[in-house]
């Protein structure tokens, strides 16, 4: 049975070119009609959500995810098209709306729970349970203005989950609080799934989307790109489905020869005599597509393109990985891996095949180099390339450590 049906949904906003804030500006502009720019937030969105299904919605910032969720929740009206919801909607969108800073935690719970549709007796019965879930039992009578922003969001989430949802709309709410509280949020979502609650879940946390969502909708600049199996859609989002991936602003795709020889002491990002020149570095995903964004634990190939201007003997190619802050994480080269290159001449490339990316999430900087066996650099590019890793699991930190618990 269908729980939500979205048909030919469009949403546009009119953005004024001039902002009239004073009486003088209003009077002088009375004979000059204001001009507007039309912004298309959503274009012809069509999908259904079945009862008991969890649908993920993903995409870059500005793709229309939150706008779509607000239209489903009846907070915004569509410009055209329609949304039909056949069950009671419970939106977890802007947690804490209606909180009053001069009231106590308990008083704010009563106000917020009333806004969420709970009855007075039910609120009183669940007050202790709400405070306990939020970890704020000792702050029952403390005024909200003395709470941190994290404490306020925990209080709002703990109140909101006391409702009995049939259709749950969630916008990034699993990112609230510390790690312990986030795990509580995940447990609540798991229970909702077991209870057959229909869920529409907007998130940048691809690991959570992969874990909880049966199908996923990918939006890009207000357009529906693909709707399907969550794993396939996340791959499409991360790897671009064969389309040219966007390049992070700090990535150097091609290296031009330096006019003069540089040395590390000069603090230049490139040095060497250029007898063998590194002309480009490219990253390839598991589909063989060039890109700069990868799922954690997926394979990746780094291609190092070179031009040997004359024949050289026994060259060594190497790489080093750094965190975005510059901490050295890993390094290797062909000599350490006992890969012999007897001679090199002309143009070609060498490949470093990474069978499984061990990093969990983040942007990583790459140094590539080619040098002699006695470390004399032919061409050294220091931290001139980078790529992003998108989390697909639930572990925290920078790297995965293979391990198992035993009880």
């Amino acid at each position: 049975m269908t729980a939500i049906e979205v048909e030919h949904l469009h949403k546009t906003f009119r953005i004024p070119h001039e902002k009239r804030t004073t009486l003088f500006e209003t009077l002088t502009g009375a004979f000059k009609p204001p001009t507007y720019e039309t912004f298309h937030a959503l274009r012809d969105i069509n999908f259904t959500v079945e009862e008991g299904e969890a649908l993920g919605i993903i995409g870059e910032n500005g793709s229309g995810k939150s706008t779509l969720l607000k239209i489903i929740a009846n907070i915004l009206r569509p410009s055209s098209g329609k949304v039909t919801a056949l069950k009671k909607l419970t939106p977890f969108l802007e947690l804490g709306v209606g909180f009053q800073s001069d009231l106590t935690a308990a008083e704010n719970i009563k106000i917020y729970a009333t806004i969420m549709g709970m009855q007075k007796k039910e609120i009183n019965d669940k007050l202790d349970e709400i405070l306990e879930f939020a970890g704020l039992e000792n702050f029952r009578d403390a005024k909200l203005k003395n709470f941190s922003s994290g404490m306020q969001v925990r209080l709002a989430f703990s109140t909101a989950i006391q409702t009995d949802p049939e259709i749950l709309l969630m916008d990034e709410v699993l990112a609230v609080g510390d790690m312990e509280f986030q795990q509580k949020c995940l447990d609540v979502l798991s229970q909702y799934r077991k209870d057959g609650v229909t869920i529409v879940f907007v998130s940048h946390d691809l690991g959570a989307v992969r874990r909880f969502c049966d199908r996923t909708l990918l939006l890009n600049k207000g357009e529906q790109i693909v709707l399907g199996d969550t794993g396939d859609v996340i791959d499409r989002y991360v790897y671009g489905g064969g389309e040219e991936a966007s390049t992070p602003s700090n990535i150097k795709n091609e290296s031009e020869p330096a006019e003069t020889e540089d040395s590390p002491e000069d603090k230049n990002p490139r040095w060497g005599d250029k007898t063998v020149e590194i002309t480009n570095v490219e990253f390839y995903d598991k589909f063989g597509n060039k890109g700069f964004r990868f799922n954690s634990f997926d394979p990746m190939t780094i291609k190092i393109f070179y031009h040997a201007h004359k024949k050289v003997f026994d060259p060594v190619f190497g790489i080093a990985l750094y965190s975005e802050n510059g901490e050295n994480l890993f390094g290797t080269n062909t000599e350490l891996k006992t890969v012999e290159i007897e001679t090199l001449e002309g143009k070609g490339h060498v490949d470093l095949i990474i069978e499984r990316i061990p990093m969990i999430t983040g942007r990583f900087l790459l140094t590539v180099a080619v040098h002699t066996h006695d470390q004399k650099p032919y061409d050294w590019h220091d931290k001139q390339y980078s790529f992003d890793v998108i989390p697909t699991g639930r572990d925290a930190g920078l790297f995965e450590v293979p391990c198992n618990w035993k009880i």
Side-chain angles (χ1 to χ4, degrees):
M1 180 179 175
T2 299
I4 301 172
E5 186 172 8
V6 177
E7 300 175 86
H8 302 293
L9 191 68
H10 292 258
K11 180 62 180 177
T12 58
F13 294 96
R14 290 204 310 165
I15 304 171
H17 287 154
E18 273 183 53
K19 185 177 181 182
R20 298 172 183 175
T21 56
T22 66
L23 178 61
F24 177 77
E25 288 172 342
T26 302
L27 292 173
T28 56
F31 301 103
K32 182 183 177 184
T35 57
Y36 296 89
E37 179 181 342
T38 300
F39 173 69
H40 296 276
L42 295 170
R43 301 171 185 260
D44 196 25
I45 307 299
N46 297 273
F47 64 90
T48 60
V49 185
E50 299 303 311
E51 189 173 344
E53 181 183 21
L55 178 77
I57 302 177
I58 62 175
E60 303 287 356
N61 289 331
S63 61
K65 304 184 300 297
S66 295
T67 299
L68 175 57
L69 213 59
K70 288 176 180 177
I71 291 175
I72 296 173
N74 291 319
I75 295 171
L76 293 177
R77 295 181 61 85
S79 300
S80 63
K82 67 176 183 175
V83 175
T84 305
L86 302 178
K87 297 280 185 178
K88 183 180 75 174
L89 289 166
T90 301
F92 283 14
L93 305 183
E94 297 178 7
L95 293 173
V97 172
F99 271 2
Q100 300 295 319
S101 60
D102 286 325
L103 298 181
T104 67
E107 291 167 337
N108 272 290
I109 288 173
K110 293 176 182 178
I111 293 173
Y112 192 50
T114 302
I115 293 172
M116 297 296 292
M118 294 174 64
Q119 300 300 314
K120 183 176 181 180
K121 182 179 185 308
E122 185 182 11
I123 296 169
N124 291 330
D125 290 343
K126 292 187 175 182
L127 187 60
D128 291 339
E129 185 179 340
I130 292 169
L131 288 164
E132 181 183 357
F133 188 93
L136 298 173
E137 304 98 308
N138 297 330
F139 298 90
R140 171 193 293 264
D141 298 317
K143 290 188 176 181
L144 203 70
K145 64 183 179 183
N146 297 318
F147 284 21
S148 68
S149 57
M151 292 168 70
Q152 293 185 34
V153 174
R154 279 160 48 196
L155 191 67
F157 183 87
S158 303
T159 306
I161 62 171
Q162 300 302 322
T163 59
D164 187 18
E166 294 177 333
I167 299 176
L168 187 62
L169 308 178
M170 306 181 72
D171 190 355
E172 293 289 4
V173 297
L174 294 185
V176 303
D178 54 23
M179 288 182 62
E180 181 182 356
F181 189 78
Q182 286 183 31
Q183 185 57 52
K184 284 186 177 182
C185 298
L186 292 169
D187 292 342
V188 168
L189 189 55
S190 295
Q191 188 59 50
Y192 282 149
R193 292 242 52 202
K194 291 176 184 176
D195 294 341
V197 175
T198 303
I199 298 172
V200 181
F201 180 37
V202 167
S203 183
H204 288 289
D205 183 349
L206 299 184
V209 173
R210 189 186 295 272
R211 177 185 175 192
F212 289 111
C213 298
D214 304 297
R215 294 186 302 150
T216 295
L217 170 67
L218 173 60
L219 299 178
N220 182 37
K221 296 179 180 177
E223 296 187 355
Q224 181 171 333
I225 303 302
V226 64
L227 170 63
D229 174 77
T230 291
D232 294 339
V233 173
I234 288 177
D235 278 347
R236 175 72 178 269
Y237 174 51
V238 172
Y239 296 122
E243 299 170 6
E244 190 66 26
S246 61
T247 306
S249 59
N250 68 336
I251 289 181
K252 183 180 178 67
N253 283 322
E254 248 179 81
S255 300
E256 298 296 331
E259 294 182 2
T260 60
E261 287 190 18
D262 303 318
S263 66
E265 290 77 13
D266 295 328
K267 295 184 180 179
N268 267 321
R270 182 180 183 185
W271 57 86
D273 64 16
K274 313 300 186 296
T275 302
V276 181
E277 182 184 347
I278 294 173
T279 56
N280 199 13
V281 174
E282 294 176 350
F283 304 94
Y284 286 83
D285 62 35
K286 62 183 178 182
F287 300 110
N289 300 319
K290 184 172 66 172
F292 302 95
R293 189 163 61 174
F294 301 85
N295 277 330
S296 58
F297 318 137
D298 271 3
M300 177 176 72
T301 298
I302 301 173
K303 287 185 179 290
I304 303 173
F305 294 84
Y306 65 81
H307 184 187
H309 295 284
K310 67 178 183 179
K311 182 180 283 189
V312 297
F313 296 90
D314 297 326
V316 176
F317 285 87
I319 65 99
L321 276 176
Y322 298 83
S323 71
E324 193 170 15
N325 295 325
E327 297 98 345
N328 184 262
L329 304 175
F330 173 75
T332 190
N333 62 38
T334 52
E335 184 177 17
L336 293 171
K337 295 295 186 184
T338 64
V339 175
E340 294 185 8
I341 306 173
E342 293 183 0
T343 62
L344 209 63
E345 189 172 17
K347 295 181 179 180
H349 64 83
V350 296
D351 296 350
L352 177 64
I353 299 169
I354 299 173
E355 296 178 359
R356 188 173 187 271
I357 298 171
M359 292 85 84
I360 291 174
T361 185
R363 174 163 291 182
F364 298 90
L365 310 180
L366 179 72
T367 290
V368 296
V370 56
H371 54 80
T372 66
H373 272 281
D374 58 1
Q375 301 295 317
K376 179 183 176 182
Y378 291 127
D379 201 1
W380 193 294
H381 298 198
D382 189 53
K383 304 182 188 70
Q384 289 298 284
Y385 308 90
S386 68
F387 60 91
D388 294 331
V389 175
I390 309 300
T392 57
R394 297 171 56 200
D395 291 330
L398 197 61
F399 282 87
E400 182 196 40
V401 176
C403 60
N404 290 293
W405 290 102
K406 184 178 180 181
I407 299 175

